[in-house]
Amino acid sequence: EIVLTQSPDFQSVTPKEKVTITCRASQSISSSLHWYQQKPDQSPKLLIKYASQSFSGVPSRFSGSGSGTDFTLIINSLEAEDAATYYCHQSSSLPYTFGQGTKLEIK
Amino acid sequence: QVQLVESGGGVVQPGGSLRLSCAASGFTFTSYGMHWVRQAPGKGLEWVAFIRYDESTKSYADSVKGRFTISRDNSKNMLFLQMSSLRAEDTAVYYCVKDGSRSSGSLDSWGQGTLVTVSS
C-alpha cells in the first residue's frame, strides 16, 4: 500500500499569506496525485488533479506541483474562506489512499 | 450539473447488513468509474471501493474486502454498496464519488454523504 504523508498536520495562517502543503508518497506515483478541500460539515471538493492541473471553477490562487514522490499544494494570497482541511490522494495503484489531512486555520 | 444523492444509511447492530444507494444525474453515468469513500467521525478520508464504468473491474480496501460489494445499474444511473458483517469501525459517513475517467483517476464530484452507525 502506498502511504501518503502530509505536512504540516495543522497550520494557523493570516489572510493574504502564502501557504505551502506537502504530500510525500512512500513510492513513486508519477503524477497520479490529486488534492481536495473539505470545509467543516461539507463534502470534499477536487482542487487539483494529476499534480498540477487545476479543476474547473477552482480559484487561480490554488496551484499544485511535483511528480514521483514529492508534491506540493500552494495557496497564494490566502482568503478567510480557505479555512478547511486539505487532503492529497493517489490513484496510481490499489488500494487508493489519502494523506492524513492538513487543517488550515485562519487567524 | 452533476448530482450524487446517497441513501440507505442508518443504525445497525454489529454483524448486521445494510445497502447504500446513490442516484446519479447530470452526467453520462455509463461513461465513468465510481467510488465509495468513507469518513469516520472526526477522522480523515478512507477509500472503500471502486467500480469501472462497465463493471469489468471492482476493487476494495483490505478493511472491507469479503464483507462489502460494490455494484451499479447503468440502466437506472444507480450505484450501490452492499455491506455485511458490519463492525463498529465501519461507522462513518459514506460518500458516493464520481471518477474523472472511465477507469480510476481524480475524484471530481462527491455526494453529500450518508451516515452509517454500527452499534448495539
Side-chain angles (χ1 to χ4, degrees):
Chain A
E1 171 177 318
I2 295 176
V3 177
L4 298 179
T5 304
Q6 292 181 228
S7 62
D9 291 332
F10 175 86
Q11 191 169 6
S12 184
V13 292
T14 54
K16 298 188 179 180
E17 201 174 323
K18 177 181 175 180
V19 173
T20 301
I21 299 171
T22 65
C23 178
R24 174 163 288 177
S26 58
Q27 63 190 75
S28 178
I29 56 172
S30 185
S31 296
S32 299
L33 190 284
H34 320 287
W35 291 97
Y36 304 86
Q37 176 194 65
Q38 186 178 31
K39 296 182 180 180
D41 298 318
Q42 293 187 19
S43 304
K45 293 180 180 177
L46 177 64
L47 294 175
I48 303 291
K49 58 181 182 177
Y50 296 103
S52 62
Q53 299 175 26
S54 293
F55 185 57
S56 174
V58 173
S60 59
R61 63 182 180 275
F62 292 92
S63 64
S65 65
S67 67
T69 60
D70 293 302
F71 302 86
T72 301
L73 173 70
I74 292 175
I75 311 174
N76 279 303
S77 194
L78 192 80
E79 297 190 6
E81 66 181 30
D82 300 333
T85 300
Y86 294 83
Y87 295 92
C88 57
H89 152 242
Q90 66 84 17
S91 61
S92 175
S93 65
L94 289 163
Y96 306 128
T97 49
F98 288 90
Q100 81 276 17
T102 294
K103 186 173 183 178
L104 224 49
E105 173 192 86
I106 311 299
K107 291 177 183 173
Chain B
Q1 72 280 21
V2 174
Q3 271 205 307
L4 300 167
V5 180
E6 303 95 336
S7 60
V11 180
V12 60
Q13 291 189 339
S17 299
L18 211 55
R19 188 194 197 206
L20 305 184
S21 301
C22 171
S25 61
F27 66 103
T28 306
F29 184 70
T30 54
S31 294
Y32 293 93
M34 297 293 295
H35 303 253
W36 288 98
V37 174
R38 69 184 181 184
Q39 187 170 34
K43 302 297 184 181
L45 301 170
E46 180 187 14
W47 172 79
V48 173
F50 163 73
I51 186 168
R52 258 177 70 105
Y53 73 103
D54 59 359
E55 299 186 78
S56 61
T57 299
K58 300 179 184 181
S59 306
Y60 301 92
D62 286 346
S63 58
V64 307
K65 201 172 292 182
R67 300 187 299 122
F68 290 12
T69 301
I70 190 171
S71 63
R72 62 192 295 164
D73 184 338
N74 282 348
S75 69
K76 297 180 179 177
N77 291 358
M78 294 290 296
L79 178 72
F80 305 100
L81 186 68
Q82 179 68 47
M83 304 185 294
S84 61
S85 302
L86 284 161
R87 308 165 180 167
E89 54 264 36
D90 295 319
T91 294
V93 173
Y94 285 74
Y95 294 103
C96 168
V97 188
K98 172 186 170 290
D99 199 284
S101 72
R102 291 191 166 199
S103 180
S104 185
S106 59
L107 308 176
D108 67 9
S109 297
W110 298 62
Q112 85 287 350
T114 187
L115 177 61
V116 172
T117 302
V118 184
S119 173
S120 54

